[in-house]
Amino acid sequence: MKSAIASITAAALTLGTPVSAGPDDITKHLMTEPASLLDLGLVRLQQRLQESQKDGDKYHYSTNFFFETNTIGVFAARALVSETDRSREEAASLCDDKLVQLRLDGGVWPASGELGVGEYSRWSSLFTHIGYTTGSSEVGTESLKGLDKKFQISVIEYFMDGEDTKVLKCVGALLGTGFSEQVLDY
């Protein structure tokens, strides 16, 4: 009698259980593919930028590595396209202000374009292991100094050109003071 009750209970429990085939090949690949310090650093940098936003900051931040140019892209795009009632000169001034803010966040003095404190930027420090290092510390420091030269900041602002909305893309290095401008159609 006990085995009959156990069999009925087991059957009742398994009838209500959905059948699962397990993860497909795509999911299995993602589960076994290791993340690198580059991946982790990009995530940490984007998180830092988003967390450092001040109240009223109207930018969306993203980071990316560009294989072809061997650069790390840091993007700040104005989130509200509807705010276009400004001139090209005002948009350029906003670009300059945002580049100054981002360079300061990285530990770079905007007036000189050089690091304020330390041998490498705050941003490069996000691309390291936490709590331990392997190998020579000189190699690590030199690598992080080299990494500082790879950061390219892009700021996107919108402005009105007559009746048309235009995009002003400003690009500058983390280490430096200037930036280039490119006007794009929206």
Side-chain angles (χ1 to χ4, degrees):
M1 182 72 167
K2 287 184 183 179
S3 65
I5 293 173
S7 296
I8 293 170
T9 304
L13 290 174
T14 58
L15 289 176
T17 306
V19 176
S20 175
D24 63 10
D25 289 341
I26 295 169
T27 305
K28 286 178 186 175
H29 170 74
L30 293 173
M31 291 169 67
T32 59
E33 188 69 22
S36 67
L37 273 177
L38 180 62
D39 296 324
L40 184 58
L42 291 169
V43 169
R44 286 178 178 161
L45 178 55
Q46 184 165 335
Q47 184 177 13
R48 176 187 174 93
L49 294 171
Q50 290 170 340
E51 288 175 354
S52 68
Q53 289 183 11
K54 296 179 171 72
D55 289 336
D57 191 355
K58 297 176 181 174
Y59 291 87
H60 170 75
Y61 299 95
S62 63
T63 57
N64 204 344
F65 175 73
F66 295 103
F67 188 85
E68 296 80 18
T69 58
N70 193 28
T71 57
I72 297 173
V74 176
F75 301 93
R78 183 155 303 264
L80 299 175
V81 180
S82 60
E83 294 186 7
T84 58
D85 58 343
R86 64 181 62 87
S87 68
R88 184 181 192 279
E89 291 75 24
E90 291 169 317
S93 178
L94 290 169
C95 275
D96 187 44
D97 292 347
K98 181 51 72 176
L99 278 161
V100 165
Q101 178 189 354
L102 290 169
R103 286 174 173 145
L104 282 170
D105 184 74
V108 174
W109 292 115
S112 68
E114 297 175 5
L115 291 171
V117 178
E119 295 184 63
Y120 49 85
S121 73
R122 288 186 203 127
W123 287 2
S124 285
S125 69
L126 299 171
F127 291 77
T128 62
H129 290 287
I130 297 173
Y132 74 92
T133 59
T134 58
S136 167
S137 62
E138 291 177 23
V139 172
T141 299
E142 290 305 313
S143 294
L144 295 174
K145 285 179 178 179
L147 189 60
D148 282 337
K149 297 173 185 171
K150 296 181 185 299
F151 292 108
Q152 289 293 315
I153 305 168
S154 297
V155 178
I156 302 294
E157 288 290 346
Y158 302 94
F159 68 96
M160 291 303 293
D161 183 19
E163 296 292 319
D164 297 327
T165 301
K166 298 282 184 173
V167 177
L168 181 63
K169 179 179 180 182
C170 305
V171 179
L174 174 63
L175 300 176
T177 58
F179 62 93
S180 63
E181 297 179 13
Q182 182 181 10
V183 176
L184 309 166
D185 289 327
Y186 177 68

